[in-house]
Amino acid sequence: MQLKNHSLHVIENLAHRIELAEEQLKALDDGEYNLIYTTRALQSLQKRIMRPLRIAILGELNSGKSSLANLLIRNIKLPTRAITNTRLPTLIFYSEKPTIHVISHDGTKIDVDVGLQGDLSDVFRLEIGLPEKSLKHREILDCPGLSAIEMDDSDFNVSEHSVDGVLWCTIATAAWRENEMSAWFELSERTRVRSILVITHKDQLSDDQLERVLGRLQNEIGVFFKDIIGLSSRQAIAAFDQQQDYTDAADGLWTKSGAAEFMMTFDALCENIRLERAESALRVVQRIANRTLVRMDLNT
């Protein structure tokens, strides 16, 4: 948890410094320097760096994506109005009260009071708000399964959903098929370098079998991912239900499921993305500052 708190502190501190700079420029500008565009740029940058990370969960149909999403939201029961539809990307975000709505391709937001019915071709994304505190800092985008869409001609494009990182689910008993490799390289390089390969349903393999699968994948595709982790979401969620102490002995269900290692790796991925975001924002601030100084010099 130290990693996560450290990166959040860096982001929050940077956002505060940007806010102070914006206030100082507003106080300085009496119309002589025309700094309105500079202050607007700082406002936009502050909002951008404070936006929660958005982590997409990708993989084949029935590869354990939804179970992993449930694990990340601590197995909170979804609103009953949310009807499973494998063809709809589903964004799970923080909300004080459970809510559900759809976003159309033209950006229109429509609250859902009844089950999703009829023609869904105009739906860009389903969005579900839940009162889970971790979602304040990282949202989850549960994406359509690969066999539920044709990657070559589908309207679905993960880059259109402002994704910051990826958890790619592959089934332990048939890990990393050829079509997964093809779909993987359809992602942007920026997305691929911020990813973890999750070998799901690891409880269906013996420890020796899992080690062989991990070894093979590390040799064949390890360079493509930040890390490769085995996980049984079923066992991890059962640990939630049993209210286990997650710091218990190594034979505890939480540890046995692979969830302890996965969560540590996932937190580290989020840490790196936030720090990259902060470094990028600092470079933008520097450019804004240089241009502002030039403009002020020209007007003096």
Side-chain angles (χ1 to χ4, degrees):
M1 292 298 174
Q2 283 184 320
L3 285 175
K4 183 175 65 174
N5 290 338
H6 170 67
S7 63
L8 289 174
H9 175 73
V10 170
I11 289 291
E12 290 169 355
N13 182 56
L14 178 57
H16 179 63
R17 289 164 59 189
I18 292 174
E19 182 180 12
L20 290 177
E22 177 194 337
E23 291 174 354
Q24 290 171 350
L25 286 175
K26 284 182 178 179
L28 178 65
D29 188 18
D30 57 2
E32 179 182 358
Y33 300 118
N34 190 24
L35 299 179
I36 185 171
Y37 296 108
T38 300
T39 56
R40 285 178 179 175
L42 290 174
Q43 287 176 348
S44 176
L45 180 63
Q46 183 188 28
K47 290 179 181 178
R48 190 159 67 246
I49 66 173
M50 288 301 294
R51 179 180 68 82
L53 297 185
R54 185 166 295 173
I55 305 299
I57 304 180
L58 293 165
E60 290 187 301
L61 187 65
N62 299 322
S63 62
K65 296 185 290 82
S66 294
S67 294
L68 178 56
N70 287 339
L71 175 62
L72 291 173
I73 63 174
R74 302 181 184 275
N75 205 27
I76 294 178
K77 186 176 181 181
L78 297 178
T80 56
R81 299 188 303 279
I83 297 176
T84 300
N85 189 306
T86 57
R87 297 184 65 86
L88 288 180
T90 301
L91 179 68
I92 307 173
F93 66 99
Y94 176 78
S95 176
E96 292 185 359
K97 295 181 180 180
T99 183
I100 178 171
H101 56 260
V102 296
I103 303 294
S104 65
H105 285 283
D106 65 5
T108 303
K109 176 180 174 180
I110 305 172
D111 291 334
V112 177
D113 295 322
V114 296
L116 296 177
Q117 299 173 356
D119 183 13
L120 301 177
S121 60
D122 189 47
V123 175
F124 175 66
R125 184 170 66 216
L126 174 67
E127 298 191 345
I128 299 173
L130 296 174
E132 164 51 39
K133 292 182 179 179
S134 66
L135 293 172
K136 290 182 177 181
H137 306 298
R138 54 192 186 200
E139 301 170 340
I140 305 300
L141 182 70
D142 190 3
C143 299
L146 295 185
S147 60
I149 57 176
E150 296 295 334
M151 295 299 292
D152 293 336
D153 58 8
S154 172
D155 289 336
F156 174 71
N157 184 342
V158 69
S159 64
E160 295 178 347
H161 295 266
S162 302
V163 166
D164 296 295
V166 166
L167 301 175
W168 189 284
C169 294
T170 188
I171 303 172
T173 52
W176 201 248
R177 301 180 184 182
E178 185 175 346
N179 66 318
E180 291 183 82
M181 174 73 80
S182 299
W184 174 252
F185 282 104
E186 292 291 327
L187 302 178
S188 68
E189 182 178 359
R190 174 185 175 277
T191 302
R192 295 199 307 269
V193 300
R194 297 169 161 190
S195 60
I196 298 172
L197 180 63
V198 184
I199 305 174
T200 59
H201 306 291
K202 87 178 190 75
D203 52 310
Q204 296 183 12
L205 300 180
S206 67
D207 290 343
D208 289 342
Q209 289 173 325
L210 180 62
E211 283 299 316
R212 287 196 292 270
V213 171
L214 283 168
R216 174 177 67 82
L217 294 179
Q218 285 287 2
N219 289 332
E220 294 178 359
I221 57 173
V223 295
F224 298 153
F225 295 91
K226 285 289 187 183
D227 215 328
I228 301 177
I229 301 292
L231 176 69
S232 169
S233 296
R234 180 185 64 81
Q235 290 179 332
I237 290 173
F240 274 129
D241 294 341
Q242 295 177 18
Q243 297 183 339
Q244 283 199 356
D245 178 359
Y246 300 150
T247 62
D248 63 2
D251 60 352
L253 188 56
W254 179 252
T255 301
K256 182 180 179 181
S257 71
E261 182 181 7
F262 166 76
M263 293 305 297
M264 184 180 300
T265 303
F266 181 50
D267 283 345
L269 174 67
C270 293
E271 162 84 353
N272 290 335
I273 295 172
R274 289 193 189 98
L275 294 179
E276 288 175 11
R277 178 183 285 183
E279 291 170 359
S280 176
L282 283 173
R283 291 192 293 270
V284 173
V285 168
Q286 186 63 54
R287 290 198 296 270
I288 291 174
N290 290 339
R291 292 171 183 172
T292 302
L293 289 174
V294 169
R295 184 182 298 114
M296 295 176 71
D297 286 342
L298 291 175
N299 290 338
T300 56

